[in-house]
Amino acid sequence: MSPWFGLLIAYLCGGIPAAYLAGRWLRGIDLREHGSGNLGATNVFRVLGWKAGLAVLLFDTAKGAVPVWLLPRWIASPAAAHWALVFGVAAILGHVRSPYLGWKSGGKGVATAGGVFLALATRPTLISLIAFAATVYLSGYVSLASLVAAVVLPLSIALLMGLRAPALVLSVLVALFVFWTHRANIGRLLRGEEHRFRRGSPPD
């Protein structure tokens, strides 16, 4: 298989809008018009409940992990490992700008990025996920937890895999991207206006 065809597959896979589909299938609504308006698992949890939220979280994670793990095995290239990084980027971009939604925002890409790095750097990603869960538990802020996890991930990759690990550069870029997509949340956190995570809470 051509790596460029794999790139297209990764993008289309990442673009599948699980949160949007969950809203349509379960309640006949467009989640972009409810809660925070974000097509991510957090908003699904708030509007549709924990079962739907968990399902969307797992799906969004899988659509990042599967292309990175599977597609490099199908391409005839000595640079398959590096193509895995590119496939990961394509999956994240597909989630953020879904082709199925007219290239409009499909979410902030945190869960999909988590799936990408589960495939690329499993142990560092698990450490990052622990940091995420601990931050949510202690603070109640999913946005803050996402930012903490984004910082912990490249540090963990550097410590466990070395400074020359290909995934390190990508993790730094993704961390910067996460901070950019959460810039409104950062402002609310600094002003003390961010809402804590619980079902039925105001939009974030």
Side-chain angles (χ1 to χ4, degrees), residues 163-201:
L163 295 175
R164 295 186 177 181
L168 179 59
V169 174
L170 180 58
S171 70
V172 172
L173 294 176
V174 168
L176 294 174
F177 181 73
V178 169
F179 271 76
W180 171 255
T181 59
H182 284 76
R183 59 194 182 279
N185 303 84
I186 293 172
R188 289 194 292 269
L189 285 167
L190 293 175
R191 296 190 301 269
E193 299 173 355
E194 184 78 329
H195 296 286
R196 286 182 168 84
F197 176 65
R198 59 187 183 276
R199 186 178 180 185
S201 60

Side-chain angles (χ1 to χ4, degrees), residues 8 24 202:
L8 177 62
R24 287 298 190 190

Side-chain angles (χ1 to χ4, degrees), residues 123-167:
R123 289 190 299 162
T125 303
L126 291 176
I127 293 173
S128 180
L129 290 174
I130 291 172
F132 176 91
T135 304
V136 172
Y137 178 78
L138 294 173
S139 72
Y141 295 120
V142 174
S143 57
L144 178 61
S146 298
L147 297 172
V148 169
V151 172
V152 169
L153 180 59
L155 293 176
S156 299
I157 291 176
L159 289 173
L160 296 178
M161 301 177 67
L163 295 175
R164 295 186 177 181

Side-chain angles (χ1 to χ4, degrees), residues 10 20 44 49 61 70 85 87 92 114 126 133 135 138 161 189-190:
Y20 176 84
V44 174
T61 301
L70 187 62
L85 300 175
F87 295 152
I92 295 170
L126 291 176
T135 304
L138 294 173
M161 301 177 67
L189 285 167
L190 293 175

Side-chain angles (χ1 to χ4, degrees), residues 8-177:
L8 177 62
I9 292 175
Y11 179 76
L12 294 176
C13 181
I16 299 173
Y20 176 84
L21 294 174
R24 287 298 190 190
W25 290 345
L26 296 178
R27 199 175 293 179
I29 61 174
D30 186 343
L31 277 177
R32 293 173 294 183
E33 301 172 356
H34 296 267
S36 67
N38 182 50
L39 291 180
T42 303
N43 199 35
V44 174
F45 179 94
R46 286 172 171 164
V47 178
L48 302 178
W50 72 268
K51 291 181 180 179
L54 179 60
V56 168
L57 176 63
L58 293 175
F59 187 90
D60 283 350
T61 301
K63 71 184 186 183
V66 172
V68 173
W69 177 79
L70 187 62
L71 293 177
R73 301 166 185 262
W74 292 353
I75 64 174
S77 171
H82 291 88
W83 274 106
L85 300 175
V86 179
F87 295 152
V89 172
I92 295 170
L93 291 178
H95 176 82
V96 175
R97 295 294 177 186
S98 173
Y100 308 108
L101 298 175
W103 287 275
K104 296 179 180 179
S105 179
K108 296 178 180 177
V110 175
T112 303
V116 168
F117 283 100
L118 274 175
L120 292 173
T122 304
R123 289 190 299 162
T125 303
L126 291 176
I127 293 173
S128 180
L129 290 174
I130 291 172
F132 176 91
T135 304
V136 172
Y137 178 78
L138 294 173
S139 72
Y141 295 120
V142 174
S143 57
L144 178 61
S146 298
L147 297 172
V148 169
V151 172
V152 169
L153 180 59
L155 293 176
S156 299
I157 291 176
L159 289 173
L160 296 178
M161 301 177 67
L163 295 175
R164 295 186 177 181
L168 179 59
V169 174
L170 180 58
S171 70
V172 172
L173 294 176
V174 168
L176 294 174
F177 181 73

